[in-house]
Amino acid sequence: MSYRWNGDMLGGVLVIPRAVVDQHIKMAGSAQLKVLLWFSAQGCGEFDPELCSSLIGLSPADCSDALSFWIETGVLIQNGGAADPVPVPPREQPVLPAATPPTQPAAPASQPVLPSAQTAKKFPLTQRQQPVKPQLPEVLERRKACPEFADLLQTAETRLGKPVTPGDMETLLYLYDSIGMPAAVILMIIVYALSMKKNSMRYIEKIALDWAERGINTVAAAELHLCALERQRACWVHLSSLLELKKEHPSAAQMESARIWIDDWQLPDELIREAYTQGKAKTGQFQHNYMMRILDTWRAEGVKTAEDARAFSEPRKKPKGKPLLADSENSSLDTDEYEQMVQNYRPVYKKKIRNAEC
């Protein structure tokens, strides 16, 4: 179905640069888009955070933060020179207990110091001292000073579909500053977590730390890794359909086994199904580790079809030993006489008599 503009609504037209859609719409959150639409409707010029706040329903501080995003991206520039940061109205700071002065002596000059955010981005996580999560006052100050981090918070809230709690903000700043994960990569992790039907910040942090250990800290590297994960998931879908499995949430090891069998080893479906049948007969359920041993053995032995697999798995018949007795014709033992002797046999018990004591 096609659509067109309502002609009665075209009395006033907004002018918005094409680059907003082509380059920035993926990163822009709802707050940034609302402020840009309102600012465009005013015909540019002076920006009044209070007036903007009263019309779009955001706080004046959020309106100023959103406008800073478009200044940082170059969509808006200040008349007469380079763009200066938009003045942000003061925020209401949370009431926190007074900090207790430290009682321990200051650390000596030789003690290692945690690296800054710029240094953290240059070294892998395994080569840096374990950082400490920031506290809420530091998060609020960073949100004021860094438009990219402020946009990360806003976009994360939009993607997750729920308010970002102070603890979530601390985790995001920890990933952004201490771990050195770019904002775009953090958002890609959030999208991936949602595709796995998980929206907890704890799961997002776990994935981000794993990526940092692997050196996945750029958009290009993240895209390649996500493609590999998507292929892994596609292999699991094929395997679960082939074996009629009903596991909705497979483990990472099970999905990796499916990828190895289907992508790396390129095993035929009939061979995988035969390994599942034999494995289930032994264990009573789907055991990917047991199937892995079966299939690995078959590959080493050159088994390529289900028929070959069944023949290979048949128990080896042991050669029969020589009979203890010759056949009845050459035997000197009369079997009828022996059976009669057994039937007539009666055991004899002898009573032991002890000598009488003197």
Side-chain angles (χ1 to χ4, degrees):
M1 182 179 294
S2 60
Y3 301 90
R4 60 183 177 84
W5 293 110
N6 184 352
D8 297 336
M9 304 293 292
L10 295 178
V13 180
L14 301 180
V15 178
I16 298 178
R18 176 84 183 189
V20 172
V21 177
D22 294 341
Q23 302 176 18
H24 306 297
I25 196 168
K26 289 184 179 180
M27 295 295 297
S30 59
Q32 285 82 10
L33 294 174
K34 286 182 179 180
V35 169
L36 184 66
L37 289 173
W38 176 85
F39 190 68
S40 177
Q42 305 305 309
C44 299
E46 296 293 332
F47 177 71
D48 187 347
E50 298 292 341
L51 179 59
C52 179
S53 172
S54 64
L55 291 177
I56 69 175
L58 299 175
S59 67
D62 288 337
C63 292
S64 298
D65 285 345
L67 192 70
S68 298
F69 171 80
W70 298 114
I71 296 176
E72 291 292 329
T73 57
V75 174
L76 295 178
I77 58 174
Q78 187 179 22
N79 291 329
D84 294 330
V86 178
V88 180
R91 296 178 180 271
E92 295 183 0
Q93 298 293 336
V95 179
L96 300 174
T100 305
T103 57
Q104 298 179 354
S110 59
Q111 182 175 355
V113 181
L114 289 177
S116 63
Q118 298 296 328
T119 307
K121 294 183 179 182
K122 297 180 181 179
F123 301 97
L125 182 62
T126 54
Q127 298 181 8
R128 289 185 276 112
Q129 185 175 350
Q130 185 67 24
V132 180
K133 283 191 178 182
Q135 301 299 313
L136 184 58
E138 183 180 352
V139 173
L140 298 178
E141 289 298 326
R142 194 78 172 98
R143 187 173 185 267
K144 290 181 182 179
C146 181
E148 185 181 30
F149 177 67
D151 178 65
L152 171 62
L153 295 179
Q154 180 68 33
T155 309
E157 185 172 281
T158 303
R159 293 282 191 269
L160 294 172
K162 62 179 182 179
V164 178
T165 65
D168 295 343
M169 294 181 183
E170 294 170 2
T171 299
L172 289 173
L173 183 58
Y174 166 71
L175 298 176
Y176 180 75
D177 266 357
S178 301
I179 304 301
M181 188 72 70
V185 177
I186 296 175
L187 291 175
M188 294 174 74
I189 294 175
I190 292 176
V191 173
Y192 169 71
L194 293 175
S195 70
M196 300 297 292
K197 299 182 180 179
K198 296 182 179 180
N199 64 347
S200 68
M201 192 57 63
R202 184 175 181 180
Y203 182 80
I204 293 169
E205 178 185 4
K206 178 182 177 182
I207 296 298
L209 293 178
D210 177 66
W211 285 21
E213 291 286 353
R214 297 167 179 259
I216 305 173
N217 51 13
T218 64
V219 173
E223 288 178 347
L224 290 176
H225 186 62
L226 288 175
C227 288
L229 291 176
E230 183 61 29
R231 181 55 190 165
Q232 185 185 70
R233 181 160 42 176
C235 290
W236 170 257
V237 171
H238 177 77
L239 180 70
S240 59
S241 175
L242 175 66
L243 305 182
E244 298 182 357
L245 302 176
K246 297 182 180 180
K247 293 180 66 66
E248 297 182 358
H249 303 289
S251 65
Q254 291 172 339
M255 296 177 67
E256 179 62 12
S257 295
R259 187 195 64 79
I260 291 174
W261 301 337
I262 296 173
D263 267 5
D264 289 356
W265 295 354
Q266 297 184 357
L267 299 177
D269 290 350
E270 60 169 349
L271 199 62
I272 297 176
R273 191 184 296 110
E274 180 63 26
Y276 169 71
T277 302
Q278 295 190 19
K280 189 176 182 181
K282 293 288 186 180
T283 64
Q285 58 184 342
F286 169 70
Q287 288 283 356
H288 71 98
N289 289 330
Y290 194 84
M291 285 183 59
M292 180 67 77
R293 291 195 295 269
I294 294 176
L295 291 170
D296 193 26
T297 302
W298 289 352
R299 289 181 69 247
E301 297 294 335
V303 176
K304 297 181 179 180
T305 65
E307 183 178 356
D308 293 341
R310 286 188 289 269
F312 179 81
S313 302
E314 287 181 358
R316 273 43 171 190
K317 295 182 180 180
K318 297 182 180 180
K320 296 182 180 180
K322 295 182 179 180
L324 295 177
L325 300 175
D327 54 21
S328 57
E329 296 180 359
N330 300 326
S331 175
S332 60
L333 176 64
D334 189 343
T335 56
D336 295 337
E337 182 180 355
Y338 176 77
E339 291 180 1
Q340 185 66 30
M341 181 179 64
V342 171
Q343 292 178 2
N344 297 334
Y345 175 74
R346 296 292 183 271
V348 178
Y349 299 95
K350 294 183 180 181
K351 184 176 181 181
K352 187 176 182 179
I353 304 175
R354 296 183 180 180
N355 296 329
E357 295 181 358
C358 298

